[in-house]
Structures are given as C-alpha cells and as structure tokens.
Amino acid sequence: MPAYKLTYFNGRGTAEIVRLVFAAAGISYEDVRLEQDKWPELKPKTPMGQVPILEVDGTMLCQSNSIARYVAKQAGLAGKTPMEQARVDMVMDVMDDMGKKGNAVFWEKDEETKAEKKKEYEETFLPQFFTCVNKLVGDSGHFVGDELTLADITYFNTTNLVGNYFKLPNMEEFSGLKKVTEHVTSNPGIAKWLKERPETPF
Amino acid sequence: MPSYKLTYFDGRGRAETCRLLLAAGGIEYEDNRLPQEQWPAFQPKTPFGQLPVMEVDGTMLCQTNSIARYVAKLAGLTGKTAMDQAKVDMIMEGAVPLFQKAGDVVMGEGDEAKKAEKKKDFEENFAPKFFADMEKLAGDKGYFVSNQLTAADIAFYGNYESIKDFVTLPSFDKYPKLKKVVASVQANPGIAKWLKERPQTAW
C-alpha cells in the first residue's frame, strides 16, 4: 500500500474533491494543511507552483482533477469503460467551468462590475447551467452507470462550494441532481468525512 | 468500428489537440467544421452550448480535455501505468491555461489599455513561468512521460500551436527539452501527415 500525502492550505478549496474521493474509496492518506507562511518555501518544489499536490512514494502530482482521477481509479470510481470515463470527465470539466466562473466573479475588483456579474451568475447562468447538468443524470440517480463515480462526487462538491458564496437556484426543481446528492451524502465514507472534516472558512 | 464525428468551428483553436490525437492514433473520423451561421441552430443540440463536441455512435461528449483523454485511450497514448496516466493528465490540464490566458488576451473583455496590460502580463510573467515549469517536467528525450509519445506531449504542442501566432512566446532556445517535445510530436507519422494535409486556417 503506497503512502499518500495530500498537501493543501487549511481549507476545502480545490483539494476537497480529492479528500472526498479518498473518503469514498476508503483509502487512508496524510491530510497536510499548510500554514500560509510555509507556502513560499514549498511553492518552488511543486510542479506548477500550485497546491494541491499529492505525493505518492516520492512522486509529486499536481492538478486537483488529475489527482482525483488517479485516486478514483484505485477504487473503481472513475468509470468502467473509456466512454464511461469520458462521461465522468465531462461532468468534472463542466462543474469546473461553473466553479471557475464563480471564482472570477468572487475575485472581481470593481464593486459595480462584481454586483452585475454576481446577479448574472446567480439569476441567469446557474439556472441554465443546472438545467443542462440535470439532463445528464441517469434514471439510476447517477451521472454515469448505476454506481457512484467521481462525476457524482464532483457535482456535489462544486455545488456545495459555490453555494457558500452564491445564491443557488431552487435545487428541488432538479430531480436528477437531488438523487445524485442523496447518493453522495449517503456514501458511508463520505458521510463520515462530512461529519468529521475540519470546519474552515473556505 | 464505431463512428466518430468531431464538430468544431473551421479552425484549430480548442479542437486541434483532439485532431492531433486522432491523427497520431490513425483513427478515422468525420472532421465536421461548422460555418458560423450554422452555430445558432446547432448550439442547443450540444450538452452545454459549447464546442468542440464529439459524437460516438450517437453519444455526444463535450469538453476538450475529456474528448482528448478519450481519444488518447483509443490511440494508446494515455500512459501505461496509473501513475503515468496521472502525470499525462497533470500536463494536459496544466497546458490548458496557456490557451485560455492567451485567448483572454486576444478576445477577452476590456478596452485597448486593459488588453495591452493583459498582453504584457501574459508575455512577461505568465508565459515564461509556464515554459519554465513545463521544461522541468519534460524528459530529456523529447517526451514528458515515460520516454514515449503520450497525450501530454500532444496537448502541450496543440495548446502552444493554437496561440503562437497571436501572442509573443518565449524562444524555445531557452527550453531545449520542450523544443524536443515539439519535434517528437511533429515527427509522429500520423501527425506529420495531418500537419501537411490539414486545412489551412487563420486560427
């Protein structure tokens, strides 16, 4: 069993998807939460000057989705066939786009522009976006196949994170997405992690 | 044999990495180049209103890197072990900001002054750092991962090639390993043929 060491700041952010996958997979890992003042020293040692990174037996991986996918494969959570895997990837990517768009609004410096963009994001973009994502959910209540995959977990995580900063539409309207959320939060490993994970501002 | 149909605009842009992978894998596909005036009618048929999309026996995939990774699997270019695949993924994902940031410089919001500022920041800060990071990750023999051609090399090349005419990039003379990666990609027989025969487009 290799030793997994995940390093990120003390928050959910872009590392949380990896922590959720480890939890669902039942794989233990070292959850290193970096103090801000330790970051300048670590930064040049990382492949692209960013965290999260995952160290596995001496190799350092970066890019949260690549790390998540790597861990998910260990536990069969990445999709069973190349087409299933592509559909899992697709959901991860669209959720990423949604998160990044929200991030751009959050970091907008001009107050007036920010207010406009926030309104557009909450009132126009998100309802349309969730309508499209809802269409991708199968009758099983999963995005791909009949079992939990990284697609379901990513949907839950990104929506959860975005919902901390923005007003989400009425999610009751999206019956498929509701089922996905139930599947994710009732996964034993994830349920335990959600209860026990550190409370952090981001 | 499934049928593959890749739809994008008539340009390299985001789709070229996928086309290069299809070429490297010797995979036949329909290279559907949508004229701009047909886009409004086609857009609602896509999962998220964006291109490229790839149709495989009726299923429509979107998201450039998801399509690229799928094609890489068909072509045997994803890396052999789980760790190699993770390293390939990491570089495919890491290569995207080069395209996105350059795209924002050229087509993004802002007046002339703002655009000039973004261009300066891209050319003087982002691009040199990007190339330096990628140089460290590249192997000595012209490949990013396990001394053989993978989607990592092709994605680096595809993203770089799609933007190189629109922004000033650092010279490869400073980045000899990346220069070899470019040469490896261009020397792959399927890709070399495609580079010679593909439609010539402005972008």
Side-chain angles (χ1 to χ4, degrees):
Chain A
M1 182 73 175
Y4 297 110
K5 180 172 160 186
L6 179 71
T7 301
Y8 188 64
F9 302 113
N10 185 21
R12 286 159 287 135
T14 48
E16 196 62 13
I17 184 61
V18 181
R19 298 189 186 112
L20 287 164
V21 177
F22 270 125
I27 297 174
S28 55
Y29 68 105
E30 193 185 339
D31 182 18
V32 175
R33 288 160 186 261
L34 210 61
E35 297 301 313
Q36 281 288 353
D37 57 2
K38 297 269 187 311
W39 174 227
E41 193 193 314
L42 176 65
K43 188 169 170 163
K45 300 179 188 170
T46 65
M48 297 180 194
Q50 295 172 330
V51 278
I53 51 167
L54 184 76
E55 291 168 82
V56 187
D57 288 345
T59 304
M60 201 184 264
L61 289 177
C62 67
Q63 293 290 338
S64 54
N65 279 356
S66 300
I67 298 170
R69 199 176 289 113
Y70 170 74
V71 177
K73 277 182 200 172
Q74 317 291 327
L77 290 168
K80 300 202 180 348
T81 63
M83 178 49 81
E84 280 197 358
Q85 289 156 12
R87 289 171 52 220
V88 170
D89 285 352
M90 182 170 95
V91 173
M92 287 177 80
D93 281 348
V94 302
M95 292 310 301
D96 243 28
D97 280 356
M98 169 212 163
K100 285 197 171 105
K101 195 175 161 80
N103 213 35
V105 173
F106 183 80
W107 291 107
E108 174 59 52
K109 294 191 179 77
D110 179 76
E111 284 305 316
E112 206 178 297
T113 310
K114 182 171 175 168
E116 264 169 42
K117 287 191 174 178
K118 187 172 197 279
K119 190 169 148 69
E120 195 270 340
Y121 186 70
E122 291 176 340
E123 296 180 17
T124 307
F125 176 78
L126 285 178
Q128 283 173 2
F129 175 80
F130 283 119
T131 302
C132 290
V133 179
N134 193 52
K135 286 191 197 155
L136 296 179
V137 183
D139 295 330
S140 61
H142 295 285
F143 280 106
V144 179
D146 297 326
E147 296 171 0
L148 197 74
T149 65
L150 192 43
D152 303 326
I153 303 172
T154 303
Y155 161 74
F156 167 78
N157 182 54
T158 309
T159 304
N160 195 242
L161 290 170
V162 167
N164 283 332
Y165 299 98
F166 296 97
K167 184 168 176 297
L168 299 177
N170 179 12
M171 300 307 286
E172 293 294 310
E173 291 178 20
F174 305 111
S175 57
L177 299 179
K178 258 189 84 173
K179 286 189 206 166
V180 171
T181 301
E182 277 159 25
H183 278 129
V184 173
T185 52
S186 62
N187 169 273
I190 290 181
K192 185 171 187 282
W193 174 248
L194 292 177
K195 216 162 54 163
E196 295 177 355
R197 67 180 171 183
E199 291 290 316
T200 49
F202 68 95
Chain B
M1 180 75 174
S3 72
Y4 302 109
K5 181 173 169 183
L6 181 71
T7 300
Y8 190 61
F9 302 109
D10 185 15
R12 286 164 285 127
R14 283 185 196 280
E16 198 62 11
T17 298
C18 300
R19 295 189 186 112
L20 291 164
L21 284 161
L22 286 157
I27 298 167
E28 279 181 25
Y29 69 104
E30 189 185 336
D31 183 18
N32 186 27
R33 290 166 183 256
L34 210 62
Q36 280 288 351
E37 63 268 17
Q38 286 180 23
W39 174 227
F42 189 82
Q43 189 174 24
K45 300 179 187 174
T46 65
F48 287 86
Q50 295 172 327
L51 296 179
V53 291
M54 176 172 248
E55 291 164 83
V56 185
D57 283 348
T59 301
M60 195 182 267
L61 291 175
C62 65
Q63 290 289 337
T64 312
N65 266 6
S66 296
I67 297 170
R69 198 173 297 108
Y70 173 73
V71 175
K73 281 175 199 172
L74 301 176
L77 292 169
T78 49
K80 305 255 173 299
T81 63
M83 178 50 79
D84 278 354
Q85 287 159 15
K87 289 181 188 172
V88 169
D89 274 357
M90 177 173 104
I91 289 157
M92 285 179 81
E93 308 232 18
V96 171
L98 183 72
F99 180 91
Q100 279 178 340
K101 283 198 145 52
D104 187 50
V105 165
V106 175
M107 315 255 294
E109 293 172 349
D111 57 18
E112 287 307 311
K114 179 84 184 150
K115 285 195 169 180
E117 194 189 306
K118 281 195 214 179
K119 191 169 198 278
K120 189 167 169 358
D121 182 54
F122 177 90
E123 291 176 351
E124 293 179 18
N125 298 324
F126 176 82
K129 181 183 179 301
F130 175 88
F131 271 63
D133 285 343
M134 286 291 172
E135 177 77 4
K136 271 198 285 184
L137 292 172
D140 294 322
K141 297 192 168 45
Y143 307 106
F144 276 106
V145 180
S146 70
N147 286 331
Q148 52 188 232
L149 193 74
T150 64
D153 309 306
I154 297 172
F156 172 79
Y157 179 80
N159 280 288
Y160 143 75
E161 198 210 42
S162 280
I163 58 125
K164 70 178 176 59
D165 296 331
F166 302 100
V167 285
T168 304
L169 293 174
S171 162
F172 276 115
D173 291 340
K174 288 196 221 164
Y175 306 103
K177 294 198 276 179
L178 293 181
K179 196 170 174 175
K180 282 193 196 170
V181 168
V182 169
S184 301
V185 172
Q186 291 174 332
N188 168 271
I191 289 180
K193 183 171 186 287
W194 172 249
L195 293 178
K196 219 165 51 168
E197 296 177 356
R198 68 181 171 182
Q200 293 295 317
T201 51
W203 54 274

